[in-house]
């Protein structure tokens, strides 16, 4: 006698209770607070904001806590929350030239107006585990410098003055919104950049790295990397002017790439661009490289068949929420499809066996 | 749950989905792009079906969710609870009592009526995807009605295996025009695609919605000398003795003993209530579950 | 703004819209069958049925063509206030509303071979609606159906365009029926 297994409802409830307990961990250890995560795991918070496409450090920190530190799960929580928010309108484009830079480096000019500002970077830390941190996280205050009150002009603007770099005039039209309209190919550069900025850091990094190693090689100089706070302004129709609605920290990366030219046009450098929420420079530089690789068609380059040149491949596979969902869905029941394959393979084997027997008999 | 709108989605999103559903019904089998939203459940777990259900449900509906034909599989439970919570709809496990049924991988055994709506969860809506990975190319093929690649694939199966080696997600042609993926239902279910109910297909991650209106011609692709054959395990259900239902195969002991039971749990339970008992079954109500 | 403009929308938007959509969807899925639809009280000459269809499907993302028969300030204000749909020329319209004779059929988008869904849906206001007259066959219809259509030839021409073509919703009072491009009319 066989009694069918039931109990999906109970299994789910129990799993959730167990998960909550695991999330909390050993209760003898003090619980993490959301401000602690926000302040002390800021780069994780930044990644969640960037790929979650929602600038809210507190919510990102909460999501990280709820997700037990699984950043893709945290990004998912933020995305799902984000879709339920009403839209009041679009902001004006942010002016990164007016950024209060925490960090600003150029690999192309030794010095330039605004200077090189190393900022709070891991770059020249020796990657030695600091065992002192295990016991005591107290730090001395860092020395203070003189703030730089003026706007920091973009390095690119100096190349632009000389007409050495391909110009990128500001368009008048509002670009489509990737989260409100289905992606259609070929995609505009604005849409590609939207997709890249919220794309998975690891995927974009891998794509960028592949271009450096020769798959659509396009040597990039980091003309400028800047990180800092910029004001967000929005036009209020009732007022007739724009007001500042807040301030966000972003990372902007502009690359200068090998030049282009033809019989009719003198050679010019070309650009790659990356802009990402928060302090996220690995992502922003990667984004600029992939952006440049995807521009092969408009710049009249050859498609060498490299993955990073394939717009459809990059855009359809860069979103980690789509990817992880579909990947993990294969653990859901597939009894029915598998059963149909079982029957088919048994039938095919049976028929093949009969053929072999028949041939042997003949 | 007052924090969220009725059936979770905001009204503007629902209107966008509703417009896509109408165009889907007007062009049977054609995949309408829609701006799929991130749902509070993972892509690949029914977000397309859930968005379609959210756009279709009214507070008066009675909702049923099945996964692999069963109401009590965990993902079915999860989706059913979601709409119980966000839409306050009545839920049921009885096919005949449901006005909207969301399904993953099966069509209920019992014929649907013309006042019922079947919503499918679709992982990969493009029937040509595994033959041509590029969306740009497949869209062109559909526009030109260029389906030779699919026939070549099926024919190659025959020359290699002596049979068409597609057992589920078996491609169909709708109303003589669009080749369509019926979602990963076993090909046993294909003949049921011609039905009285309205069929809506939602692919969330892939951002596509498509539809089959009632009484629409749906033909499984085949060849004159290799006609389409719906198949199932050559057994009767061990619990209810049905011989006309699709069966799950269970491994019941260490020696690899097998048991076959209806994948459609409501169909099986209904038959057992009516007194049918399979070879390894017990009378209804005498089992603990 | 006049009170009449502000009134006449759905009282309970999510619920009223869900019922209205069920009627529209079932009508589109079962061409020729007549359904009642309620919840809207738009200013004349908009019928309650077409008002409900507009509230259910239209918003700032759906350019709308308003035929001369329905182009009054009150109707414009009501549609703008309740849906925000921009008024456009027939060529750019996703939806159109008006009397049959005032709809320039050949001007509307019929979709493209790659995107046949990018075609207009016409909401046609009718004095009456009944299951008499033209015979309908095709998807959604068990054997055949009958519907009082304005002009058979237009729908025959439209069906010839399949998979491109226009889709129609007919309204009269609080009733509606639909006719997608797949329906063969004789």
């Amino acid at each position: 006698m066989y009694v069918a297994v039931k109990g999906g409802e109970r299994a789910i409830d129990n799993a959730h209770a167990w998960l909550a307990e695991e999330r909390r961990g050993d209760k003898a250890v003090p619980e993490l607070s959301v401000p602690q995560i926000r302040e002390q795991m800021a780069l994780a918070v930044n990644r969640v904001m960037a790929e979650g496409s929602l600038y809210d450090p507190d919510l990102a920190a909460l999501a990280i806590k709820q997700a037990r530190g699984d950043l893709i799960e945290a990004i998912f929580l933020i995305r799902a929350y984000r879709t339920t928010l009403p839209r009041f309108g679009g902001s004006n484009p942010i002016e990164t030239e007016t950024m209060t830079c925490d960090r600003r480096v150029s690999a192309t000019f030794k010095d330039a107006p605004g200077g090189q500002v190393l900022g709070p970077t891991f770059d020249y830390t020796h990657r030695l585990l600091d065992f002192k941190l295990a016991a005591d996280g107290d730090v001395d205050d860092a020395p203070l410098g003189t703030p730089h009150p003026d706007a920091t002009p973009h390095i690119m603007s100096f190349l632009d003055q000389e007409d050495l770099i391909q110009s990128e005039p500001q368009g008048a039209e509002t670009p489509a919104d990737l989260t409100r309209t289905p992606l259609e190919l070929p995609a505009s550069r604005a849409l590609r950049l939207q997709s890249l900025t919220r794309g998975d850091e690891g995927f974009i990094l891998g794509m960028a790295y592949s271009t450096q190693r020769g798959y659509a090689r396009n040597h990039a100089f980091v003309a400028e990397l800047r990180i800092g706070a910029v004001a967000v302004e929005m036009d209020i129709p009732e007022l007739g002017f724009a007001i500042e609605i807040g301030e966000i920290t972003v990372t902007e990366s502009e690359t200068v790439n090998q030049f282009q030219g033809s019989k009719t046009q003198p050679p010019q450098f070309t650009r790659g661009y990356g802009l990402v929420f928060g302090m996220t420079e690995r992502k922003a530089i990667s984004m600029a490289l992939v952006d440049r690789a995807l521009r092969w068609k408009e710049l009249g380059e050859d498609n060498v068949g490299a993955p990073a040149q394939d717009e459809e491949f990059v855009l359809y596979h860069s979103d980690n929420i789509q990817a992880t969902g579909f990947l993990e869905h294969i653990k859901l029941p597939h009894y029915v499809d598998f059963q149909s394959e079982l029957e088919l393979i048994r039938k095919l084997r049976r028929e093949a066996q009969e053929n072999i027997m028949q041939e042997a008999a003949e | 749950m007052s924090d969220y709108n009725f059936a979770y989605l905001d009204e503007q999103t629902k209107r966008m989905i509703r417009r896509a559903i109408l165009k889907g019904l007007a062009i049977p089998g054609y995949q309408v792009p829609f701006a799929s939203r991130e749902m509070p459940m993972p892509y690949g777990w029914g977000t397309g079906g859930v968005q379609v259900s959210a756009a279709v449900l009214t507070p008066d509906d009675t909702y049923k969710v099945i996964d692999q034909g069963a109401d009590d599989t965990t993902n079915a439970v999860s989706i059913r609870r979601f709409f119980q919570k966000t839409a306050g709809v009545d839920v049921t496990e009885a096919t005949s009592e449901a006005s909207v049924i969301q399904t993953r991988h099966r069509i209920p055994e019992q014929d649907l009526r013309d006042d019922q709506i079947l919503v499918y969860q679709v992982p990969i809506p493009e029937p040509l995807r595994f033959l041509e990975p590029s969306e740009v190319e497949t869209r062109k093929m559909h526009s030109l009605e260029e389906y030779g690649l699919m026939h070549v694939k099926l024919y190659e199966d025959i020359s290699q295996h002596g049979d068409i080696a597609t057992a589920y997600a078996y491609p169909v042609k709708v109303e003589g025009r669009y080749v369509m993926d019926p979602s990963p239902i076993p090909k046993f279910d294909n003949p049921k695609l011609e039905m009285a109910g309205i069929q809506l297909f939602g692919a969330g991650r892939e951002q596509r919605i498509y539809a089959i209106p009632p009484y629409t011609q749906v033909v499984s692709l085949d060849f004159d000398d290799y006609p389409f054959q719906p198949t199932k395990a050559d057994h009767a259900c061990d619990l209810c003795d049905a011989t006309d239902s699709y069966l799950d195969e269970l491994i019941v002991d260490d020696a690899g003993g097998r048991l076959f039971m209806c994948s459609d749990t409501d169909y099986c339970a209904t038959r057992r209530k009516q007194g049918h008992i399979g070879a390894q079954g017990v009378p209804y109500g005498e089992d603990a579950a | 703004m006049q009170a009449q403009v502000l009134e006449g929308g759905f009282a309970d938007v999510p619920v009223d819209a869900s019922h209205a959509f069920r009627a529209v969807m079932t009508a589109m899925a079962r061409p020729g069958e007549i359904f009642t639809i309620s919840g809207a009280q738009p200013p004349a000459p908009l019928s309650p049925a077409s008002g409900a269809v507009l509230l259910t499907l239209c918003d700032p993302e759906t350019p709308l063509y308003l035929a001369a028969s329905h182009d009054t300030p009150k109707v414009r204000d009501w549609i703008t206030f309740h849906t925000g749909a921009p008024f456009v020329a027939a060529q750019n319209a996703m939806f159109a509303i008006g009397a049959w004779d005032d709809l320039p059929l050949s001007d509307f988008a019929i979709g493209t071979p790659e995107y046949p869904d990018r075609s207009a849906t016409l909401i046609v206001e009718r004095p009456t609606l009944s299951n008499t007259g033209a015979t309908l066959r095709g998807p959604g219809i068990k054997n055949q159906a009958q519907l009082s259509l304005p002009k058979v030839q237009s729908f025959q021409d439209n069906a010839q365009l399949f998979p491109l073509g226009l889709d129609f919703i007919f309204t009269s009072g609080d009733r509606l029926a639909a006719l997608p491009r797949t329906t063969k009319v004789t």
Side-chain angles (χ1 to χ4, degrees):
Chain A
M1 291 301 147
Y2 179 79
V3 175
V5 191
K6 274 199 162 200
E9 307 242 359
R10 208 171 55 237
I12 289 178
D13 288 339
N14 290 341
H16 289 177
W18 194 352
L19 175 67
E21 194 182 301
E22 287 288 315
R23 183 190 60 69
R24 177 59 183 88
D26 183 353
K27 284 183 185 162
V29 177
E31 187 183 353
L32 262 179
S33 73
V34 168
Q36 282 172 334
I37 296 171
R38 185 192 65 219
E39 295 302 317
Q40 297 172 40
M41 306 203 75
L43 298 188
V45 167
N46 285 344
R47 182 174 171 196
V48 170
M49 293 196 301
E51 295 172 34
S53 297
L54 183 74
Y55 197 94
D56 190 322
D58 288 299
L59 284 183
L62 172 63
I64 291 168
K65 178 174 177 173
Q66 188 180 332
R68 307 178 65 196
D70 179 337
L71 295 190
I72 291 185
E73 185 67 27
I75 292 161
F76 186 9
L77 289 168
I78 291 297
R79 290 265 193 99
Y81 174 73
R82 179 189 188 276
T83 42
T84 65
L85 299 176
R87 302 206 149 206
F88 300 117
S91 76
N92 293 336
I94 55 171
E95 297 289 348
T96 51
E97 192 159 85
T98 65
M99 177 187 286
T100 319
C101 293
D102 288 343
R103 171 162 163 77
R104 193 267 194 138
V105 291
S106 169
T108 52
F109 293 98
K110 192 167 182 179
D111 200 4
Q116 304 261 17
V117 181
L118 208 47
T121 175
F122 288 123
D123 281 358
Y124 306 103
T125 61
H126 293 147
R127 270 58 167 202
L128 303 170
L129 269 180
D130 181 358
F131 293 102
K132 267 201 322 236
L133 275 181
D136 171 14
D138 273 357
V139 291
D140 297 331
D141 289 341
L144 288 177
T146 324
H148 192 305
D150 302 327
T152 308
H154 283 115
I155 301 285
M156 286 293 195
S157 63
F158 300 105
L159 295 171
D160 213 9
Q161 282 166 17
E162 254 190 283
D163 215 16
L164 291 177
I165 188 137
Q166 162 219 21
S167 67
E168 212 68 69
Q170 188 172 328
E173 76 279 21
T174 307
D177 182 342
L178 187 68
T179 67
R180 309 299 280 187
T181 45
L183 179 63
E184 190 186 316
L185 299 169
S188 66
R189 186 170 177 226
L191 271 184
R192 295 199 303 249
L193 291 169
Q194 283 176 41
S195 174
L196 294 176
T197 195
R198 75 199 313 242
D200 181 73
E201 178 175 310
F203 180 86
I204 307 291
L205 170 66
M207 282 290 129
Y209 179 48
S210 75
T211 69
Q212 291 185 292
R213 285 198 65 261
Y215 289 84
R217 180 177 159 78
N218 199 303
H219 187 271
F221 296 97
V222 175
E224 183 166 357
L225 173 77
R226 58 168 72 193
I227 304 175
V230 289
V232 179
E233 295 189 335
M234 193 169 154
D235 278 324
I236 308 295
E238 287 81 357
L239 298 177
F241 52 85
I243 59 162
E244 186 177 323
I245 55 171
E247 205 179 58
I248 60 173
T249 294
V250 295
T251 303
E252 185 182 50
S253 161
E254 292 188 280
T255 57
V256 180
N257 295 66
Q258 62 195 192
F259 49 78
Q260 277 277 305
S262 65
K263 283 188 181 125
T264 51
Q265 281 202 309
Q268 264 190 328
F269 288 118
T270 56
R271 314 171 181 241
Y273 187 74
L275 182 77
V276 186
F277 277 163
M279 189 175 259
T280 42
E281 68 182 66
R282 182 187 301 123
K283 171 76 175 287
I285 299 171
S286 301
M287 177 176 167
L289 265 59
V290 179
D291 167 49
R292 179 59 187 79
L294 288 172
R295 302 183 71 188
W296 64 272
K297 200 183 271 177
E298 64 194 76
L299 298 174
E301 295 171 342
D302 290 335
N303 180 356
V304 298
Q309 284 182 309
D310 186 334
E311 166 181 272
E312 184 164 346
F313 181 82
V314 173
L315 300 190
Y316 271 134
H317 301 113
S318 61
D319 190 292
N320 52 26
I321 302 308
Q322 292 178 359
T324 199
F326 197 54
L327 181 102
E328 294 193 33
H329 108 280
I330 61 174
K331 66 197 174 191
L332 287 178
H334 284 77
Y335 322 135
V336 163
D337 333 5
F338 186 69
Q339 184 66 34
S340 65
E341 295 256 283
L342 262 182
E343 284 150 24
L344 180 67
I345 199 159
R346 282 177 183 145
K347 176 165 179 261
L348 294 179
R349 284 176 62 86
R350 199 165 52 236
E351 286 167 0
Q353 204 68 40
E354 281 163 11
N355 285 344
I356 293 166
M357 302 266 279
Q358 200 168 350
E359 274 167 32
E362 283 163 6
Chain B
M1 197 160 113
S2 56
D3 299 350
Y4 291 100
N5 194 25
F6 169 74
Y8 182 76
L9 293 174
D10 60 280
E11 289 305 299
Q12 189 165 359
T13 298
K14 282 191 216 159
R15 280 192 293 271
M16 178 269 296
I17 296 170
R18 286 167 177 165
R19 294 191 293 262
I21 290 172
L22 291 184
K23 286 298 171 194
L25 286 164
I27 317 165
Y30 164 75
Q31 303 163 49
V32 184
F34 83 111
S36 173
R37 301 292 195 247
E38 269 122 353
M39 299 299 289
M41 54 201 59
Y43 283 118
W45 298 52
T47 56
V50 165
Q51 288 179 81
V52 169
S53 285
V56 163
L57 280 172
T58 76
D60 300 346
D61 275 313
T62 303
Y63 190 55
K64 170 183 164 88
V65 186
I66 51 173
D67 187 336
Q68 314 298 303
D71 298 272
D72 64 341
T73 36
T74 43
N75 204 42
V77 170
S78 166
I79 291 171
R80 188 166 62 234
R81 281 185 172 186
F82 179 71
F83 282 111
Q84 249 179 316
K85 208 154 57 168
T86 60
V89 288
D90 289 340
V91 296
T92 183
E93 296 192 3
T95 302
S96 58
E97 287 170 15
S99 53
V100 178
I101 302 172
Q102 178 163 330
T103 180
R104 178 168 171 264
H105 295 191
R106 277 307 315 272
I107 298 177
E109 302 294 355
Q110 188 183 328
D111 286 345
L112 297 192
R113 299 183 308 266
D114 67 0
D115 60 346
Q116 293 180 302
I117 298 166
L118 186 58
V119 177
Y120 295 76
Q121 303 173 199
V122 182
I124 303 273
E126 178 48 70
L128 304 167
R129 182 60 69 239
F130 299 113
L131 307 172
E132 168 51 66
S134 162
E135 164 67 16
V136 173
E137 291 303 318
T138 52
R139 187 157 284 275
K140 211 176 289 167
M141 291 175 183
H142 283 294
S143 77
L144 298 171
E145 213 175 340
E146 179 52 66
Y147 296 126
L149 205 56
M150 182 64 89
H151 283 100
V152 168
K153 192 260 167 199
L154 296 177
Y155 198 80
E156 279 175 355
D157 278 0
I158 293 170
S159 55
Q160 194 186 341
H161 304 295
D163 220 328
I164 292 174
T166 300
Y168 61 92
Y170 191 102
V172 295
K173 195 166 204 179
V174 182
E175 203 60 23
R177 180 56 180 81
Y178 285 101
V179 167
M180 188 195 95
D181 183 319
S183 87
I185 56 173
K187 65 179 180 176
F188 174 82
D189 281 344
N190 272 27
K192 292 185 245 168
L193 290 160
E194 288 187 356
M195 65 160 74
I198 296 172
Q199 298 172 83
L200 305 174
F201 298 78
R205 193 178 38 76
E206 298 280 337
Q207 307 196 312
R208 297 289 183 271
I209 283 173
Y210 50 105
I212 305 177
Y215 313 113
T216 299
Q217 186 198 59
V218 183
V219 178
S220 302
L221 299 184
D222 63 358
F223 298 95
D224 288 342
D225 44 348
Y226 283 90
F228 171 79
Q229 281 178 324
T231 52
K232 63 181 273 291
D234 191 15
H235 289 268
C237 172
D238 283 320
L239 301 188
C240 79
D241 209 31
T243 54
D244 57 354
S245 67
Y246 193 76
L247 301 173
D248 282 342
E249 179 175 333
L250 284 70
I251 304 171
V252 286
D253 55 40
D254 292 351
R258 295 296 205 269
L259 176 137
F260 291 87
M261 60 182 276
C262 294
S263 112
D264 184 333
T265 47
D266 174 58
Y267 186 73
C268 200
T270 304
R271 282 182 51 84
R272 292 177 61 215
K273 275 182 211 163
Q274 289 164 353
H276 299 280
I277 303 175
Q280 302 189 52
V282 291
Y284 188 81
E286 288 182 20
D287 48 352
Chain C
M1 208 177 274
Q2 289 171 299
Q4 203 186 345
V5 168
L6 305 176
E7 289 166 2
F10 286 146
D12 183 348
V13 174
V15 171
D16 290 352
S18 75
H19 287 295
F21 177 67
R22 179 64 60 83
V24 177
M25 180 182 82
T26 315
M28 194 60 84
R30 289 162 30 191
E33 276 187 56
I34 298 170
F35 299 87
T36 57
I37 181 169
S38 59
Q41 284 100 37
L46 272 182
S47 65
S50 56
V53 174
L54 290 171
L55 295 180
T56 304
L57 299 176
C58 293
D59 57 33
E61 291 175 10
T62 60
L64 175 69
Y65 176 80
L66 195 56
S69 59
H70 285 64
D71 195 354
T72 71
K74 271 183 190 162
V75 167
R76 276 185 174 252
D77 288 349
W78 190 84
I79 291 174
T80 302
F81 178 76
H82 290 281
T83 74
F87 298 106
V88 296
Q91 291 83 348
N92 303 320
M94 199 186 280
F95 287 90
I97 185 151
W100 177 253
D101 289 334
D102 289 334
L103 291 167
L105 289 192
S106 54
D107 290 353
F108 292 106
I110 57 169
T112 66
E114 295 192 356
Y115 295 96
D117 57 305
R118 294 182 182 172
S119 57
T121 301
L122 275 46
I123 305 162
V124 185
E125 294 264 32
R126 303 285 295 150
T128 59
L129 209 50
S130 65
N131 291 120
T132 56
T135 300
L136 319 182
R137 289 185 183 81
I141 303 167
K142 193 168 185 183
N143 295 309
Q144 59 179 57
Q146 238 118 39
L147 188 66
S148 52
L149 290 178
K151 194 177 171 200
V152 167
Q153 182 68 44
S154 306
F155 301 101
Q156 291 174 336
D157 294 347
N158 185 54
Q160 288 289 322
L161 300 169
F162 183 81
L164 310 191
L166 305 172
D167 306 306
F168 299 88
I169 296 169
F170 302 102
T171 54
S172 181
D174 64 349
R175 304 162 78 225
L176 93 172
L179 193 97
R181 64 195 78 179
T182 46
T183 305
K184 287 153 199 80
V185 180
T186 49

